[in-house]
Amino acid sequence: SAMSKEQRVLQYVQQNASRGDPDSVLAAVDKFGWETEWAMNLGDVKGAILDRFVKETAPQTMLELGTYMGYSAIRIARLLPETAKFMTVEFDQENAAVAREMIEFAGLQNRIIQITSDTADVIPQLKTKYDVETLDMVFIDHWKDVYVRDIKLLETNKLLRKGTVVVADNIIKPGAPEYAEYVRTCGKYDSTFHESRFEYSNDDIDGLEKSVFRG
Ligand SMILES: O=c1[nH]cnc2c(O)c(F)c(-c3ccc(F)cc3)cc12
Ligand SMILES: [Mg+2]
């Protein structure tokens, strides 16, 4: 069909949510996900857990790996003060374009620095090109096969400090077993698994891993 699924979700948001109202945008994406077409957004159930972590951490500097349509970027940014620096990285140009419009509709374009690139290229540039010293919080939700590569890149580029909170999606479905093994056994993190439900599913289990860097 002419429009991609992501474009269909964006159109639904533009026709059913209120411009400048992030909660109405999230509600519209979730309604579409539950009732019309499944999509790989974090969703409302796991989203509520991430909300709690963001509120508890109150990060001034935050990084998201994997923007997709912008759902979790909006979810996070709506909880951050104007003074916070929040960067989200997406490799797929089409998804990044949809995300830009979704974020703009939500009115959060001034609170989100959207980067369209490979995370492996961006992470080593964060200090120099994006004026980051260290990160207070990271949300990993891109491709499970590069979770370990990227958290190690964050370590070697000295972007983590004592207490940095790293949250990762999809620990169960589709699963990130090497990542879970790494953060739980490498000795550098205090890591906890938070069981939840797979996005837009009543039955399937998934969960978030929350790993605090020991410094
Ligand atoms: O690639 C992904 N990036 C980020 N998040 C994802 C996700 O939440 C998924 F459920 C899935 C997923 C897709 C198809 C399935 F059958 C199961 C999970 C994939 C991703
Ligand atoms: Mg995910």
Side-chain angles (χ1 to χ4, degrees):
S1 66
M3 281 197 292
S4 68
K5 170 169 69 176
E6 292 74 24
Q7 286 169 324
R8 289 196 291 276
V9 179
L10 174 62
Q11 185 180 65
Y12 183 80
V13 164
Q14 291 168 333
Q15 293 173 354
N16 293 276
S18 312
R19 183 175 284 280
D21 178 353
D23 286 297
S24 77
V25 171
L26 297 175
V29 174
D30 288 331
K31 183 173 171 66
F32 197 85
W34 280 109
E35 297 176 6
T36 308
E37 280 190 89
W38 185 91
M40 64 180 178
N41 310 113
L42 183 65
D44 48 327
V45 180
K46 289 188 286 182
I49 300 173
L50 182 65
D51 283 358
R52 190 174 74 240
F53 293 158
V54 172
K55 288 174 185 172
E56 285 165 357
T57 310
Q60 278 301 326
T61 310
M62 172 113 197
L63 173 68
E64 174 181 66
L65 305 180
T67 314
Y68 187 40
M69 304 181 199
Y71 176 90
S72 49
I74 289 165
R75 203 153 188 128
I76 292 162
R78 88 193 202 288
L79 301 176
L80 300 181
E82 278 278 352
T83 51
K85 178 186 289 218
F86 172 38
M87 294 143 293
T88 181
V89 188
E90 174 57 48
F91 181 67
D92 183 289
Q93 309 245 355
E94 259 119 61
N95 290 339
V98 170
R100 192 169 300 282
E101 292 201 47
M102 188 91 79
I103 287 164
E104 216 156 87
F105 190 87
L108 292 172
Q109 64 286 349
N110 297 336
R111 217 170 293 185
I112 299 171
I113 298 164
Q114 205 183 331
I115 303 165
T116 307
S117 182
D118 184 338
T119 53
D121 296 333
V122 172
I123 291 170
Q125 294 178 311
L126 288 175
K127 284 182 183 268
T128 51
K129 189 169 183 185
Y130 296 93
D131 193 30
V132 170
E133 197 202 327
T134 55
L135 297 163
D136 299 325
M137 191 166 189
V138 184
F139 180 49
I140 304 176
D141 189 22
H142 51 348
W143 177 233
K144 60 191 175 61
D145 289 354
V146 298
Y147 278 23
V148 174
R149 180 198 74 185
D150 284 358
I151 197 166
K152 285 183 174 175
L153 271 175
L154 291 168
E155 291 171 10
T156 55
N157 283 277
K158 301 270 172 263
L159 286 156
L160 306 181
R161 48 87 177 160
K162 184 176 173 46
T164 297
V165 175
V166 183
V167 182
D169 189 26
N170 304 118
I171 298 301
I172 304 297
K173 187 178 174 81
E178 300 82 6
Y179 175 81
E181 161 85 11
Y182 176 71
V183 289
R184 293 170 188 171
T185 63
C186 72
K188 299 176 187 173
Y189 302 88
D190 292 300
S191 203
T192 49
F193 176 64
H194 298 262
E195 185 174 299
S196 184
R197 286 277 183 278
F198 187 58
E199 46 258 49
Y200 313 121
S201 164
N202 288 309
D203 322 307
D204 291 356
I205 300 292
D206 191 14
L208 302 177
E209 189 80 8
K210 180 187 178 208
S211 310
V212 182
F213 192 63
R214 289 176 175 162

